[in-house]
Amino acid sequence: MAVASFVLGRRRSIATVGGYSSIRSLHSLPKYYGYYAAIWCGLPGLLLVAAWLSLSDSVITGRVVASLPEALRGSSDAQLGLLVNDIKNLAAGQFVNPNRAVELGAAAELYNSLQASARWILSGLIVALGLAGFLYSATRLQPDFRARNKVETVIKAALVVASTIAIFTTVGILLSVLFEALRFFQKISFTEFLFGLTWSPQTALRADQVGSSGAFGAIPLFAGTLLISGIAMFVALPIGLMTAVYLTEYASPRIRAVIKPVLEILAGIPTVVYGFFAALTVAPLLRDLGTSLGLEVASESALGAGLVMGVMIIPFVSSLTDDVINAVPQAMRDGSYALGATKSETVKRVILPAALPGIVGGALLAVSRAIGETMIVVMAAGLAANLTVNPLQAVTTVTVQIVTLLVGDQEFDSAKTLAAFALGLVLFVVTLILNVFALHVVRKYREQYE
Amino acid sequence: MSGSQTAEAVDLAEEEQLDNSRAPRMDQSQAVAEDFQSVAQEEYETHGTVTAEDPVMTVRDCNVFYGDAQALFDVNLDIGRNQVVALIGPSGCGKSTFIRCLNRMNDTIDTAVVTGDIRLYGEDINSKSTDVVLLRARVGMVFQKPNPFPKSIFENVAYGPRLHGLASNRAELDEIVETSLRRAGLWEEAKDRLDQPGTGLSGGQQQRLCIARTIAVNPEVILMDEPCSALDPIATARIEDLIDELSENYAIAIVTHSMQQAARVSQRTAYFHLGKLIEVDETNRIFTNPGHKLTEDYVTGRFG
């Protein structure tokens, strides 16, 4: 229909000025009149569908529930929800408890018929709206009508909507995490959570069970996260930096053409794969190495997870550093070489200092990635919440605990489950601050040379 | 201008040579008048005197290739002591390429190949065994766009001396920095803000800072690649005065697009065209009585 109105709108616009010969007297190109007509024809219908889909189900359900006998209806909200589910299943022809099926047969039929009529009404409305829209637009297609500008406005609006989706999603996630976290802090005090030294989230399902209290001091988790991220950065920062310096300053184009794609492959490996590489290859290796040196290395050590995470971040660090080093103007290098500096002197004394803010920004982004990384630590770092700085012991991180708290059957109002949201909130806030700060630093640096 | 007296003496000595070189010139200039591009394909001979009385650097048969493209063709030129040589010519004629041969800056371009005999005080500097790092300390360079390092003014000047270990203690370094800035005419403006970033200076001050940075390593030759093209006339005049003063101590080669500048600061001028050194002579002669049609066309503003 929209396509048809495009064609018609275009035709009509040409017709209003009397054929192709006098197209110049139109304000806009004919196709813009076509787009204008198509938008008027299609857009109201689309909006209607969106509104309809979000409302029709509750309206129909309401009417079905109203039609139910008092005996069935007079129960709590939760039971009513189950009932409605049954009706819907029955209506869709799925299996429902036979006893129930008899009672609800009539309701299911009503539901089906309401759905069908709703579809018909919807289709009819769309056609009507489309026609109305087209006719309205047709009346406005005059030679001096500014169709091009109108179409531009609609395009702009569409782009604004698209770009705000990401923002609203972020806000939505933040709010949902925030509210769940607030519920958690009603049970466990804020200070206990942030500064407590023991983490043992096991709470009893029944009040008379042993160990019913649970402890929610997150310090061991923060310490574990910091330890592993620290090891990762210790590995990734120097290696990534040196890689970038080599690639930008020393490597010939041919070598660069080989190394860069390989680094990108490294960046493309799924973190799960890194995870079992850490758990199955690196961890036993470290344990054997430790034994031969007379050290006791846990089979799930912070060191193993940190090392592999470091390797994972190398391409991230090196490509960010690569960018900032490339942004240092060639004139700086020339100036330094012309004074008789060698390559490494130039890198050390001119290029790295000039690129330092950008490198710091890149490193901060890498840290926030390391903190948020989950899969590797789930598989390789262990679950024991040890408060230790010994990298050879098993530690656990914020992300690992979130995963374990939410995996499996859970009741959603226990402190144990809600703790995951509190941890998530902390993680979110920390990485957000790191990212904002890092991006600010990077941007500030960029401005310097433009 | 310090070299004007010696210039006259050389003038007389050159009369005979000029007679020799004039004969081919008549033939060639007629051919060239037809199509000024055609000179690139023809055999040619540099007009005027390529040699200097007391040469610091000598260049013989220098060819430069960027990949497959040849940028310089058999250039012969001397750079004399305490003398400013101006290199002029239309864009892309090889002036910058030429001075970049003199301190091996073309090495930083992967595809560049430089052949020929280039000597600094008789010592071959275009061989594989040359220590490029040492060479660049002896042959300093100032670039077209001021390029101070993003460091303090002091650190900018101290950069070279630190690299080459020219100062054994802080006091010596302070002294080097002060003398360099004084000689570059920047001391009065900069002495109270030595710890502030060099990038915060004005364009002209930045360029003088770059000159100070270059003379801080006490080079024998200073190369300047259009040092004033990014500056306003007042800053330019200061730099020109500075070049004049510096020529008392250094051999200077300066690339410039301003013929007035070449006339003001240099004792000798070399005219490049499409990678060839067409003519080199006393600056006065180049601007008053050029030996080659192309040079005449260029200095009279008929093209370029």
Side-chain angles (χ1 to χ4, degrees):
Chain A
M1 240 172 96
V3 175
S5 55
F6 170 79
V7 176
L8 288 174
R10 190 170 170 278
R11 281 235 187 99
R12 191 184 150 84
S13 71
I14 296 168
T16 50
V17 290
Y20 272 104
S21 49
S22 48
I23 263 183
R24 309 276 313 259
S25 60
L26 280 172
H27 169 268
S28 316
L29 289 173
K31 67 174 179 185
Y32 282 107
Y33 293 97
Y35 287 136
Y36 182 74
I39 287 168
W40 261 112
C41 177
L43 203 59
L46 274 178
L47 291 178
L48 178 74
V49 171
W52 189 276
L53 288 182
S54 59
L55 292 177
S56 74
D57 196 58
S58 57
V59 172
I60 293 175
T61 314
R63 285 190 60 180
V64 171
V65 170
S67 76
L68 284 176
E70 194 64 34
L72 285 171
R73 198 153 35 110
S75 35
S76 75
D77 269 1
Q79 278 173 321
L80 196 64
L82 283 175
L83 205 60
V84 170
N85 251 343
D86 276 347
I87 296 173
K88 283 183 184 170
N89 283 342
L90 195 63
Q94 283 166 350
F95 177 77
V96 175
N97 185 342
N99 297 338
R100 272 261 160 112
V102 182
E103 288 171 350
L104 297 177
E109 248 166 62
L110 179 63
Y111 181 82
N112 269 344
S113 69
L114 280 175
Q115 280 283 23
S117 54
R119 269 195 294 275
W120 277 112
I121 295 169
L122 180 61
S123 316
L125 272 178
I126 289 174
V127 173
L129 261 180
L131 275 178
F134 173 70
L135 290 176
Y136 172 70
S137 67
T139 61
R140 301 196 56 182
L141 294 185
Q142 301 301 321
D144 59 347
F145 177 62
R146 299 180 178 181
R148 194 153 71 117
N149 309 21
K150 298 277 180 196
V151 170
E152 195 64 22
T153 316
V154 174
I155 289 173
K156 187 176 141 199
L159 295 178
V160 168
V161 169
S163 59
T164 46
I165 285 177
I167 296 171
F168 281 125
T169 315
T170 314
V171 172
I173 292 175
L174 180 63
L175 287 182
S176 75
V177 170
L178 190 66
F179 283 124
E180 296 298 330
L182 284 180
R183 279 175 66 193
F184 171 75
F185 289 128
Q186 282 163 5
K187 293 174 192 274
I188 310 288
S189 82
F190 190 65
T191 44
E192 188 191 332
F193 171 72
L194 273 191
F195 303 110
L197 295 181
T198 8
W199 177 263
S200 158
Q202 294 312 319
T203 44
L205 290 175
R206 299 189 310 276
D208 55 347
Q209 252 176 335
V210 221
S212 58
S213 60
F216 292 94
I219 288 287
L221 306 190
F222 298 149
T225 307
L226 275 181
L227 180 62
I228 290 185
S229 306
I231 295 171
M233 292 313 293
F234 192 72
V235 173
L237 211 52
I239 297 183
L241 200 60
M242 287 191 273
T243 310
V245 167
Y246 174 72
L247 284 178
T248 48
E249 301 296 316
Y250 291 85
S252 68
R254 271 173 62 195
I255 296 179
R256 204 178 144 88
V258 175
I259 294 185
K260 273 224 128 183
V262 172
L263 274 175
E264 273 150 28
I265 291 174
L266 200 60
I269 296 176
T271 53
V272 183
V273 178
Y274 277 113
F276 62 69
F277 174 67
L280 301 180
T281 313
V282 176
L285 204 71
L286 284 174
R287 199 178 51 221
D288 294 347
L289 200 70
T291 324
S292 66
L293 291 171
L295 293 169
E296 201 173 311
V297 182
S299 53
E300 291 178 321
S301 65
L303 188 60
L307 286 179
V308 175
M309 196 194 279
V311 172
M312 185 196 80
I313 301 174
I314 287 174
F316 193 69
V317 174
S318 81
S319 80
L320 281 171
T321 319
D322 198 314
D323 287 349
V324 290
I325 291 182
N326 269 330
V328 175
Q330 181 63 28
M332 293 292 138
R333 297 182 180 86
D334 284 348
S336 175
Y337 292 142
L339 287 169
T342 61
K343 262 192 173 165
S344 70
E345 282 166 343
T346 303
V347 168
K348 197 173 66 192
R349 292 172 171 231
V350 174
I351 295 179
L352 289 186
L356 193 65
I359 293 172
V360 171
L364 288 176
L365 285 179
V367 170
S368 81
R369 245 199 103 170
I371 290 176
E373 168 52 36
T374 310
M375 225 45 230
I376 294 176
V377 281
V378 165
M379 296 171 90
L383 294 172
N386 290 328
L387 183 56
T388 176
V389 287
N390 180 359
L392 303 180
Q393 281 188 8
V395 296
T396 192
T397 70
V398 174
T399 50
V400 171
Q401 286 308 315
I402 293 177
V403 171
T404 52
L405 290 174
L406 292 182
V407 166
D409 291 337
Q410 302 290 350
E411 44 176 340
F412 252 79
D413 48 0
S414 81
K416 183 182 167 188
T417 322
L418 292 173
F421 290 97
L423 289 175
L425 184 69
V426 172
L427 206 59
F428 185 90
V429 169
V430 170
T431 49
L432 187 73
I433 290 171
L434 276 174
N435 280 353
V436 168
F437 188 59
L439 287 176
H440 175 74
V441 169
V442 170
R443 199 172 302 138
K444 201 171 169 193
Y445 166 74
R446 291 253 159 84
E447 283 163 5
Q448 210 175 324
Y449 287 116
E450 272 162 15
Chain B
M1 232 154 273
S2 62
S4 57
Q5 281 190 320
T6 47
E8 275 172 44
V10 176
D11 255 2
L12 292 171
E14 274 176 354
E15 282 299 317
E16 284 174 318
Q17 280 183 306
L18 281 168
D19 281 343
N20 293 339
S21 56
R22 248 174 210 150
R25 172 202 149 209
M26 296 309 287
D27 297 342
Q28 214 176 29
S29 64
Q30 275 158 3
V32 165
E34 302 292 325
D35 174 12
F36 104 115
Q37 294 283 338
S38 65
V39 74
Q41 277 75 45
E42 282 171 28
E43 279 298 307
Y44 85 106
E45 195 182 329
T46 303
H47 288 249
T49 326
V50 297
T51 53
E53 255 189 6
D54 184 7
V56 176
M57 296 195 82
T58 57
V59 181
R60 294 291 174 268
D61 298 324
C62 179
N63 286 286
V64 179
F65 303 86
Y66 292 122
D68 294 332
Q70 186 164 5
L72 274 190
F73 299 83
D74 294 321
V75 172
N76 298 293
L77 186 63
D78 283 3
I79 294 167
R81 187 193 299 273
N82 303 346
Q83 200 180 48
V84 179
V85 178
L87 311 177
I88 59 171
S91 293
C93 68
K95 312 175 296 279
S96 300
T97 302
F98 176 75
I99 66 163
R100 287 170 72 95
C101 292
L102 301 179
N103 67 345
R104 296 273 298 265
M105 279 302 278
N106 282 326
D107 287 15
T108 60
I109 301 164
D110 289 333
T111 54
V113 177
V114 180
T115 65
D117 186 64
I118 305 173
R119 290 177 186 275
L120 173 61
Y121 286 115
E123 183 189 327
D124 184 9
I125 60 160
N126 197 29
S127 70
K128 275 208 152 64
S129 58
T130 310
D131 182 357
V132 178
V133 165
L134 207 63
L135 168 69
R136 288 181 189 151
R138 296 174 65 189
V139 182
M141 187 164 188
V142 177
F143 295 87
Q144 181 172 357
K145 233 178 112 194
N147 57 347
F149 302 129
K151 298 167 178 280
S152 70
I153 294 173
F154 183 89
E155 285 300 321
N156 260 286
V157 183
Y159 183 82
R162 275 193 215 272
L163 283 179
H164 302 289
L166 297 183
S168 52
N169 55 44
R170 177 75 193 198
E172 274 183 49
L173 191 63
D174 285 346
E175 201 190 312
I176 292 178
V177 170
E178 186 181 334
T179 4
S180 306
L181 283 172
R182 272 190 197 286
R183 275 155 85 184
L186 192 62
W187 176 251
E188 290 306 319
E189 292 149 77
K191 64 181 176 192
D192 298 325
R193 46 195 288 202
L194 287 177
D195 55 341
Q196 283 171 32
T199 44
L201 295 170
S202 75
Q205 289 172 327
Q206 285 189 18
Q207 195 62 296
R208 275 180 280 148
L209 177 62
C210 292
I211 293 174
R213 188 173 76 181
T214 306
I215 54 186
V217 289
N218 204 17
E220 290 148 43
V221 181
I222 299 177
L223 311 173
M224 296 186 174
D225 191 352
E226 297 180 42
C228 302
S229 65
L231 306 182
D232 68 33
I234 297 164
T236 301
R238 292 208 59 167
I239 304 268
E240 285 176 4
D241 289 346
L242 178 59
I243 292 171
D244 214 36
E245 285 164 30
L246 291 174
S247 68
E248 287 165 22
N249 296 302
Y250 304 99
I252 297 175
I254 174 171
V255 170
T256 177
H257 274 297
S258 154
M259 279 172 277
Q260 292 89 332
Q261 183 170 67
R264 282 191 297 260
V265 301
S266 71
Q267 284 79 54
R268 291 167 74 221
T269 297
Y271 174 68
F272 282 75
H273 187 92
L274 295 176
K276 292 175 178 170
L277 177 54
I278 300 299
E279 181 164 5
V280 51
D281 220 319
E282 299 300 319
T283 299
N284 290 338
R285 186 183 293 277
I286 290 282
F287 286 104
T288 53
N289 184 21
H292 195 290
K293 181 77 167 60
L294 281 171
T295 318
E296 192 183 326
D297 284 351
Y298 186 73
V299 299
T300 54
R302 221 169 293 170
F303 60 70

